[in-house]
Amino acid sequence: DWACRYFQANLEDAQRGKQARDYVLARQISSDSMKAWRMGLALDARTDLLASARQRSIPQKMLEATGVVTGNGQDKFVHRLMFPISDVTGRIVGFGGRTLGNDRAKYVNSPTTALFDKSQCLYGLEQARHEIVKTDTAVIVEGYTDVIMAHQMGCKNVVATLGTSLTSGHGRLLRRYAKTVVLVFDGDTAGMEAANRALDVCLKHHIDIKVASIPDGLDPCDFVLREGKTGFDQLIRTAIDVLQFKWDRLNDRFQGDETLTGRKAALEEFLQTIATSLWAGNLG
């Protein structure tokens, strides 16, 4: 929580935070959203957070244990826009950082710690859980800004995975709040594979799952900006169920692969989904 407040102060600073604030506002994320989601800034300095912590007598070992300082005595996050990650009760357990420079790693998350495991956390769940319970539906997107923009536009039941595919841990977490999960992705190959893996997770945890594919190559952030809450709600209402998604995928693969081996693999994948669905239904 101290690190979160430290990053927030950097972003709000008139001089030090200007570049990062300009970037955020250019993405059309409002000042109110910046504050509501406690967005922050890690400065372009290797030991800035560490030095500030020492002035407050915060032990370096504590900083290392929580993942904000590395074992070699440098800040984990440098020159990055910071997204604090909370658990469902609101405790800050980790961070995601987007580079503001030319770092090859566009996004970096906190390492696994006693508090944080990305396979067990969903970004925005604290803010979204009441709407998820109210609607019985959780909408899953991929990115931090996708979640923030969706909420800014009034779509309050949206959460995101943290740079990983949907896991069994996510499935267990979602089952506490949602009866249905709608997976939103941009339709590229990586998104298709992520959707495919998520389907199996949700089926095994007896969660109804649907898939919504965003048209025109847009990501969820750009789509909700263009179409607004009405367009996003329509996208969610017209999401297709898991078996239809798999059937469409099977047809695409049959048309795109004329080899017996390729078609056999596609058919086996579809049959596996049916088997998993039947198994989950019998357990339910």
Side-chain angles (χ1 to χ4, degrees):
D1 187 69
W2 170 81
C4 179
R5 287 184 279 112
Y6 168 82
F7 291 135
Q8 281 182 282
N10 285 342
L11 184 61
E12 293 167 1
D13 185 271
Q15 298 298 321
R16 292 181 298 180
K18 185 178 185 306
Q19 178 194 1
R21 287 197 310 276
D22 287 347
Y23 167 79
V24 174
L25 294 173
R27 293 294 307 268
Q28 299 188 52
I29 294 173
S30 69
S31 296
D32 287 344
S33 289
M34 271 190 268
K35 292 176 181 177
W37 292 86
R38 303 186 70 182
M39 294 172 65
L41 171 64
L43 298 179
D44 190 9
R46 291 289 175 185
T47 58
D48 191 75
L49 180 139
L50 178 58
S52 183
R54 284 173 174 165
Q55 292 175 5
R56 289 158 180 76
S57 300
I58 299 174
Q60 183 171 329
K61 289 293 185 184
M62 179 75 75
L63 299 170
E64 292 176 8
T66 53
V68 295
V69 167
T70 64
N72 61 3
Q74 294 187 337
D75 293 355
K76 170 70 175 177
F77 301 98
V78 177
H79 197 34
R80 289 183 179 272
L81 184 66
M82 299 300 292
F83 300 88
I85 301 164
S86 63
D87 65 13
V88 73
T89 67
R91 297 181 307 167
I92 304 298
V93 295
F95 295 95
R98 187 202 187 281
T99 183
L100 293 170
N102 298 315
D103 197 303
R104 292 178 62 184
K106 185 176 179 181
Y107 282 93
V108 170
N109 286 328
S110 291
T112 300
T113 68
L115 293 175
F116 177 71
D117 180 347
K118 65 182 181 181
S119 69
Q120 307 286 335
C121 291
L122 290 165
Y123 181 69
L125 185 57
E126 175 206 354
Q127 295 86 347
R129 64 188 171 113
H130 293 301
E131 189 68 15
I132 291 173
V133 170
K134 180 180 176 182
T135 62
D136 286 331
T137 302
V139 178
I140 310 270
V141 295
E142 290 187 331
Y144 300 104
T145 56
D146 296 331
V147 172
I148 293 172
M149 186 56 69
H151 281 249
Q152 181 175 304
M153 299 297 286
C155 308
K156 304 285 190 180
N157 60 340
V158 179
V159 297
T161 53
L162 299 167
T164 183
S165 300
L166 204 70
T167 67
S168 289
H170 296 141
R172 286 190 295 271
L173 194 57
L174 286 165
R175 194 181 176 191
R176 299 177 194 171
Y177 306 100
K179 294 180 180 177
T180 301
V181 165
V182 178
L183 194 70
V184 178
F185 67 102
D186 60 13
D188 63 11
T189 302
M192 184 74 76
E193 291 305 318
N196 208 35
R197 290 189 293 270
L199 300 177
D200 293 333
V201 168
C202 287
L203 286 173
K204 289 174 182 175
H205 286 279
H206 314 138
I207 302 170
D208 288 337
I209 182 164
K210 297 181 178 181
V211 180
S213 180
I214 295 178
D216 304 327
L218 298 175
D219 61 25
C221 180
D222 293 332
F223 179 82
V224 75
L225 267 173
R226 190 182 78 176
E227 303 294 335
K229 183 179 188 302
T230 300
F232 193 82
D233 287 346
Q234 177 65 14
L235 180 76
I236 301 308
R237 280 196 299 271
T238 56
I240 60 176
D241 67 44
V242 54
L243 292 180
Q244 183 65 55
F245 172 81
K246 287 279 196 172
W247 180 254
D248 292 344
R249 178 180 168 90
L250 175 65
N251 284 330
D252 288 343
R253 290 181 66 178
F254 260 66
Q255 293 174 14
D257 190 342
E258 296 183 356
T259 67
L260 180 60
T261 301
R263 290 187 166 189
K264 181 174 179 288
L267 187 58
E268 286 175 348
E269 181 182 304
F270 182 70
L271 292 175
Q272 180 61 46
T273 301
I274 295 175
T276 303
S277 300
L278 292 172
W279 174 78
N282 288 335
L283 285 184

